[in-house]
Amino acid sequence: MTTVRRAVLTLPAAPLGPDNPLPALRAPAGAGAHAVDARTLAELPRDMARGIGRAPLRSLLPTAVRDGYGRERTPAGLDAIVIENDRLRATVLPGLGGRVHSLHHKPTGRELLYRNPVFQPAAFALNGAWFSGGIEWNIGATGHTTLSCSPLHAAVVRAPDGGPMLRLWEWERLRDLPFQVDLWLPEGSDFLYVGVRVRNPHERTVPAYWWSNTAVPEERRVLVPADAAWHHGYERGLNRLPVPVAEDGTDRSYPLNGAHAADYFYDLPEEQRRWIAALDADGRGLVQTSTDALRGRKLFLWGTERGGRRWQEWLTEPGTPGYAEMQAGLARTQLEHLELAGGAEFSWLEAYGPLAADPEAALGDDWAAARADVEDRLEAALPRAAVDAAYTAWREGAADAGPETVLATGSGWGALEVLRGGYELPGTPFPESTLGPDQEPWRELLRTGVLPPPAKGAGPGAPLVATPWRDMLETAPADPSTEYHLGIAQWHAGDRAQAVRSWERGLHRAEVRWPLLYCLAVADQEDGHPRRAAERFAEAFTDHADHADHADRDGSEPVAAALGREATAALLAAGRPGPARELWARLPDEVRGRGAFRLLEVRILLAEGRTDEARAVFDEGFEVADLREGAEVLGELWAELTDEPLPDAYEFRMRPN
């Protein structure tokens, strides 16, 4: 019999820490790493170019940046849910985006995934904290979901065959869409079935994005039914290349043959069955297949150069084997977004399981023969017709079934949206009982038309930016807190001039000024006024420090650290190293000891012409816990200090030097 049960997974783990308390007014910090230059865009197929240009994020609102984690790990118990039959055991982490941490095949004793032995957040998600390993569910926009390290709702539901099924669901806030992921193991099955549904409850069309990312050991050959792929590196290009052998004669189906980090988006023929497999030297490994709606397939590799190897160490422990990712998505590439019409949905079924191919065929030089062998063995193990039938049985008989036993609780944002919009979402309830302190002021606005101000001396609370909430804010009494939130909603809508006016109105009457000063500083920065931006950042830092000293409030350090980091960087950008040092020195010793602030110290010392002391900071050693994917700042600063090669500890460059 298949069972679904709670468990605890103990791993060395770095605590997530607090979210960044400042509103995420800017576009994702790593957006440039996934961009395509204008020349390349003009040469792409028209529908692909349209998808790439569709509704790029102007900010991360209403989500928060998650950068409060460090790199000190201690054993910690992570809530887990285990789905198990007599063939497979899947371990799911509902509190961390519903990640499938492990997929264990019992008859062979093999782990089918790359299973990270630690939990170490790193700045790869759109909003920061993300971790490597397992199978992750990415919804929202190009990149790793903002829910990577967030709790999802989880419950037991009846599967199409009557057995237990695990349902995960949440409300994705960047695109304002509810979604569900249903996982079940039919009795005696070697395959984990995954039914996914993304719904648009609104009247308007919404941009949609989904990629299921599976980490596998990198000592594999990745096979897929395609003869070409769109290659995307970190030089902002997108080029169609033959698969598997490149022009230089290198077989790119082996991740360890790539020198630098790269994406290969495979160009599958329209009528081709959708699948991708990663096999070891014995022809054994993992295969993923799906119904045709999940169109795209991709290989991501880190490469063998120093930057890729350093990232592999950064995400786990030195000496741990590396990984690559085989992925599946709604579009041909992760740079594209589809249109999801009002009232419509995207739904499909995926299956993950073991595959044993003929190693001579699957690992041989004849690509057509290798693909044919894998596809034949997949068809024997799990026929294409069986996948289609399983999808139909799930979508028509189980996708709308109500939860029976609640196993975990996600956020209250979905409940707030259902309360406001009156949406009917069979199968994914968002009950009012899940509303929490973050949602309470907004429920009061919905009920009374008045947004309650925060407690005296407290920060402004989490924002909401969707059009209905903006409309309510526009008619609410215009106190400083309401003007702050209205400005954020206007900023998100692209009405930046009106946002600035709202923030300026609020500032005239505000007792706690730093939230409004911060927003105005970002607006100045975005509008090309670096000196005025720096002054406002510094004023925001001072205002917060004055209120924190007076009130001695718990929890003030994250605000001080976030404002101090912004203000110091802005002062340096404005050519004012003296005030930058003065502000940096006002931060608590513990904050100044963090890697991100040691990096600021290097920049201050360079601006002061004290290169020997800046070099000494590098020699002493520091780690910037939230270093972004594709960041090259460490190499750039080192090059200002010396012509010596960049030490391995600071080598995170993901493209050719």
Side-chain angles (χ1 to χ4, degrees):
M1 288 182 60
T2 298
T3 59
V4 177
R5 57 182 171 84
R6 289 189 181 95
V8 175
L9 176 68
T10 300
L11 293 177
L16 278 170
D19 288 351
N20 191 307
L22 307 178
L25 300 176
R26 302 184 184 94
H34 301 290
V36 176
D37 61 70
R39 178 193 60 80
T40 301
L41 200 62
E43 297 173 353
L44 296 176
R46 189 170 300 174
D47 62 331
M48 183 181 287
R50 280 198 305 269
I52 292 173
R54 181 172 289 128
L57 294 177
R58 291 189 290 259
S59 76
L60 282 169
L61 295 169
T63 62
V65 172
R66 311 201 71 178
D67 60 1
Y69 54 87
R71 293 191 53 79
E72 293 185 6
R73 298 187 289 267
T74 57
L78 305 177
D79 290 337
I81 300 172
V82 176
I83 314 166
E84 190 167 13
N85 67 4
D86 61 336
R87 311 287 295 176
L88 282 175
R89 180 172 62 249
T91 303
V92 180
L93 304 178
L96 295 170
R99 183 78 58 99
V100 179
H101 173 74
S102 168
L103 188 59
H104 177 79
H105 188 232
K106 294 180 179 181
T108 60
R110 296 172 63 92
E111 173 59 48
L112 301 180
L113 309 176
Y114 167 77
R115 183 176 56 191
N116 197 332
V118 305
F119 172 68
Q120 176 57 64
F124 278 69
L126 287 164
N127 62 337
W130 170 88
F131 64 107
S132 64
I135 307 171
E136 57 177 307
W137 319 111
N138 289 300
I139 180 174
T142 300
H144 297 280
T145 178
T146 61
L147 297 166
S148 292
C149 291
S150 295
L152 304 188
H153 300 281
V156 176
V157 184
R158 285 300 104 188
D161 61 2
M165 176 169 73
L166 172 62
R167 173 161 300 157
L168 306 166
W169 73 100
E170 245 302 352
W171 196 284
E172 199 284 317
R173 302 181 68 209
L174 289 181
R175 302 303 194 184
D176 217 14
L177 297 175
F179 70 96
Q180 72 189 76
V181 179
D182 289 353
L183 304 98
W184 75 100
L185 288 169
E187 188 172 349
S189 174
D190 277 311
F191 284 82
L192 174 68
Y193 286 11
V194 183
V196 183
R197 175 165 61 171
V198 180
R199 287 188 272 199
N200 179 6
H202 312 293
E203 295 181 357
R204 68 184 187 279
T205 297
V206 176
Y209 172 94
W210 185 281
W211 281 79
S212 303
N213 293 7
T214 305
V216 294
E218 64 183 348
E219 297 90 354
R220 297 288 186 269
R221 187 183 204 188
V222 175
L223 296 103
V224 65
D227 293 311
W230 295 92
H231 168 259
H232 181 258
Y234 288 81
E235 301 88 17
R236 299 171 64 114
L238 191 63
N239 306 302
R240 195 170 186 272
L241 303 175
V243 170
V245 180
E247 293 179 356
D248 62 1
T250 303
D251 187 340
R252 299 297 189 191
S253 65
Y254 291 91
L256 286 173
N257 284 349
H260 298 281
D263 301 323
Y264 292 92
F265 299 103
Y266 296 105
D267 198 355
L268 276 66
E270 287 294 328
E271 298 304 317
Q272 171 63 50
R273 181 179 185 180
R274 267 57 186 156
W275 60 266
I276 186 169
L279 306 180
D280 64 15
D282 296 323
R284 295 178 176 272
L286 174 72
V287 64
Q288 186 269 2
T289 187
S290 71
T291 49
D292 291 349
L294 202 63
R295 176 184 185 183
R297 293 298 185 276
K298 171 194 162 183
L299 166 65
F300 168 76
L301 56 92
W302 281 107
T304 56
E305 290 294 324
R306 290 200 307 156
R309 305 330 293 171
R310 181 67 177 118
W311 275 117
Q312 293 265 32
E313 291 179 350
W314 187 255
L315 297 172
T316 180
E317 291 182 329
T320 301
Y323 75 95
E325 288 184 358
M326 59 182 212
Q327 307 180 10
L330 284 173
R332 281 170 295 186
T333 74
Q334 286 178 331
L335 312 181
E336 301 167 75
H337 296 77
L338 304 183
E339 291 186 335
L340 181 55
E345 70 174 50
F346 287 132
S347 61
W348 62 92
L349 185 129
E350 307 179 43
Y352 297 80
L355 189 83
D358 176 1
E360 291 189 10
L363 306 180
D365 294 335
D366 188 332
W367 181 243
R371 287 166 31 192
D373 182 73
V374 172
E375 187 153 348
D376 288 346
R377 291 173 186 271
L378 171 60
E379 184 66 19
L382 184 63
R384 184 178 189 178
V387 173
D388 292 339
Y391 166 74
T392 300
W394 167 75
R395 182 61 194 85
E396 295 180 355
D400 288 346
E404 296 180 0
T405 305
V406 174
L407 300 176
T409 303
S411 78
W413 296 113
L416 186 66
E417 292 302 326
V418 169
L419 189 64
R420 182 199 59 76
Y423 302 121
E424 296 291 336
L425 299 169
T428 55
F430 293 94
E432 284 192 53
S433 60
T434 61
L435 293 170
D438 285 343
Q439 294 82 42
E440 191 54 43
W442 297 100
R443 177 161 66 169
E444 190 68 11
L445 173 66
L446 184 63
R447 189 177 67 85
T448 67
V450 178
L451 184 69
K456 185 176 177 61
L464 281 175
V465 296
T467 301
W469 295 106
R470 186 174 76 244
D471 292 344
M472 283 184 265
L473 289 167
E474 287 175 346
T475 59
D479 62 21
S481 175
T482 302
E483 295 284 18
Y484 165 83
H485 283 288
L486 175 58
I488 288 176
Q490 291 164 334
W491 180 272
H492 175 266
D495 192 352
R496 296 192 167 187
Q498 189 58 54
V500 168
R501 285 192 285 271
S502 296
W503 292 327
E504 287 176 339
R505 284 196 305 267
L507 189 62
H508 289 313
R509 293 185 290 144
E511 176 187 349
V512 178
R513 294 162 51 87
W514 68 261
L516 292 151
L517 286 166
Y518 169 77
C519 292
L520 289 167
V522 173
D524 284 335
Q525 208 171 48
E526 296 287 300
D527 290 340
H529 304 295
R531 292 189 68 86
R532 192 167 69 198
E535 291 169 0
R536 279 179 159 158
F537 279 128
E539 188 179 353
F541 177 83
T542 299
D543 180 77
H544 173 264
D546 290 344
H547 281 90
D549 290 343
H550 181 264
D552 192 24
R553 299 185 60 86
D554 292 336
S556 66
E557 185 178 280
V559 181
L563 286 173
R565 189 173 179 181
E566 293 270 8
T568 304
L571 287 164
L572 288 170
R576 302 183 64 190
R581 173 167 290 283
E582 291 173 8
L583 193 148
W584 180 82
R586 292 175 62 188
L587 291 164
D589 290 344
E590 190 278 329
V591 171
R592 283 189 284 113
R594 298 174 192 169
F597 292 86
R598 299 302 306 278
L599 182 64
L600 281 174
E601 183 183 9
V602 170
R603 294 179 58 192
I604 293 170
L605 290 166
L606 280 170
E608 295 169 336
R610 299 158 65 182
T611 54
D612 289 345
E613 293 172 73
R615 171 64 185 266
V617 176
F618 270 98
D619 291 343
E620 184 180 342
F622 62 92
E623 293 183 327
V624 182
D626 63 336
L627 193 70
R628 290 293 315 191
E629 175 186 9
E632 300 181 351
V633 62
L634 294 174
E636 292 166 355
L637 291 176
W638 179 261
E640 292 187 45
L641 295 170
T642 178
D643 293 331
E644 298 174 23
L646 183 66
D648 288 346
Y650 302 116
E651 178 60 274
F652 291 93
R653 291 172 292 194
M654 298 174 70
R655 61 179 177 171
N657 297 334

